[in-house]
Amino acid sequence: MKLYEVPLKLFNRRWWWTTLLVIAGVFVLIRLGFWQLDRLEQRRAYNRMVAERWQQTPFDVNTHEIPADLSELEYRRVQAEGTFDYSKQIVLTGQNRDGAPGVILVTPLVLDDNRAVLVARGWVPYSLSKPEDWPQFEEPPGAPVIGLIQESQMLPSGAPPPIPDSPQVEWFRINVDAIQPQMPYTLLPVFILQLPEENRAYDALPYREEPLRLDEGSHFSYAIQWFTFALILGVGYLFFIQSQELRAQRLANPHPSTGEEGEDTPHPDLGGFPPQEGHA
């Protein structure tokens, strides 16, 4: 049986149910491939949106009100100018980097009109997390802070953390309402995640990193994988049917003739041998 003859057998009584299952499987695999291509296009659209917002002029915290809907500032850089108040600096504890324990320095940046915004300035190792170690990490005065707006952090349940009875230096999350009572100025309802300055050394302390990594992920390779599986299943099934039909034919006809009648076939009058030349 030739391979091109196999489709004629796919829906006979022996194979129709299996064929339907294979067709369904091929359809599912192809659909998964197109789903991955859809995910890829969504990822590309997301990357374009992030890149466009990132390239916008930084939102000026000094001259603009923070919008109630922070999604307007998502992935857009913000800028703030003021003076860091290191006397009110706190740390966010339990922060690991590459397996090393440490803390994040959080410092109020005093703006104007008795307003300030908390700035997460970066990570330092636990060995340098004591207040006496902090002066070495103070910033040059006058430089604007560039970063990303972050929402005030809540408990995992979504509830606000309790407000402590007395000022504290170590915190587990940056919740503006809980920190506000120990500050002498009004804090903005958000905090800023400071980005590394241009030409800043990668391992400079406090360590800051770009939080955005724009790539297309593995969606395209996954799509190719699903399409390949569909091809293997479909073509493999055709070869399977071919082999099974040939096997059935051999079992049904174990001694097929090897030629046309009169050509190399046994002669009934000569004991099964073909007649010799010259005999009647």
Side-chain angles (χ1 to χ4, degrees):
M1 173 181 290
K2 305 298 183 181
L3 187 60
Y4 62 81
E5 298 175 339
V6 172
L8 301 177
K9 299 289 186 178
L10 293 180
F11 290 97
N12 65 17
R13 186 168 57 182
R14 182 182 181 191
W15 297 112
W16 73 270
W17 178 243
T18 306
T19 299
L20 291 179
L21 290 177
V22 171
I23 291 175
V26 170
F27 175 81
V28 169
L29 293 172
I30 292 175
R31 183 66 188 90
L32 287 172
F34 281 110
W35 173 65
Q36 287 294 339
L37 292 180
D38 290 339
R39 293 284 305 276
L40 175 62
E41 184 53 38
Q42 293 171 11
R43 185 70 170 265
R44 288 172 174 171
Y46 166 83
N47 289 346
R48 289 192 296 268
M49 180 272 293
V50 171
E52 290 172 0
R53 290 195 177 188
W54 191 268
Q55 293 168 3
Q56 291 179 351
T57 302
F59 179 89
D60 194 333
V61 172
N62 296 78
T63 59
H64 295 81
E65 291 291 330
I66 302 295
D69 184 4
L70 291 181
S71 64
E72 299 177 18
L73 296 179
E74 191 174 16
Y75 309 120
R76 182 179 175 182
R77 294 171 299 156
V78 301
Q79 174 179 303
E81 294 188 46
T83 304
F84 280 118
D85 184 359
Y86 297 105
S87 67
K88 300 298 182 181
Q89 187 164 243
I90 60 177
V91 294
L92 194 63
T93 62
Q95 305 299 309
N96 293 334
R97 175 175 175 258
D98 297 333
V103 300
I104 290 179
L105 299 176
V106 181
T107 312
L109 180 70
V110 182
L111 306 174
D112 51 28
D113 300 329
N114 201 40
R115 297 186 311 151
V117 60
L118 295 175
V119 178
R121 297 197 296 120
W123 179 92
V124 297
Y126 184 76
S127 59
L128 298 174
S129 63
K130 303 301 180 184
E132 56 267 25
D133 300 313
W134 296 349
Q136 62 183 298
F137 304 122
E138 294 182 3
E139 308 288 338
V145 172
I146 304 294
L148 296 174
I149 284 288
Q150 303 290 298
E151 292 183 341
S152 183
Q153 296 175 339
M154 299 293 186
L155 294 172
S157 63
I163 298 176
D165 297 330
S166 59
Q168 60 186 43
V169 172
E170 296 184 351
W171 293 79
F172 290 105
R173 54 189 53 83
I174 305 176
N175 182 271
V176 176
D177 291 336
I179 297 172
Q180 177 64 80
Q182 69 184 63
M183 297 295 173
Y185 21 70
T186 301
L187 296 176
L188 296 184
V190 296
F191 69 94
I192 296 177
L193 177 66
Q194 189 171 4
L195 296 171
E197 300 90 327
E198 188 176 358
N199 299 323
R200 180 185 178 88
Y202 174 77
D203 57 351
L205 295 177
Y207 174 78
R208 301 171 188 146
E209 68 175 322
E210 299 280 357
L212 302 178
R213 296 289 184 270
L214 299 183
D215 58 54
E216 296 185 351
S218 302
H219 299 299
F220 184 74
S221 61
Y222 287 155
I224 296 300
Q225 186 180 67
W226 289 121
F227 291 142
T228 302
F229 288 161
L231 181 64
I232 291 173
L233 178 59
V235 175
Y237 181 62
L238 293 179
F239 278 104
F240 172 76
I241 295 296
Q242 181 189 39
S243 66
Q244 292 300 306
E245 288 294 324
L246 289 175
R247 180 173 180 271
Q249 290 178 6
R250 287 194 298 269
L251 293 176
N253 188 17
H255 302 293
S257 62
T258 59
E260 297 292 337
E261 185 177 352
E263 295 183 3
D264 295 333
T265 56
H267 196 282
D269 297 333
L270 298 177
F273 294 95
Q276 299 298 315
E277 185 177 352
H279 292 274

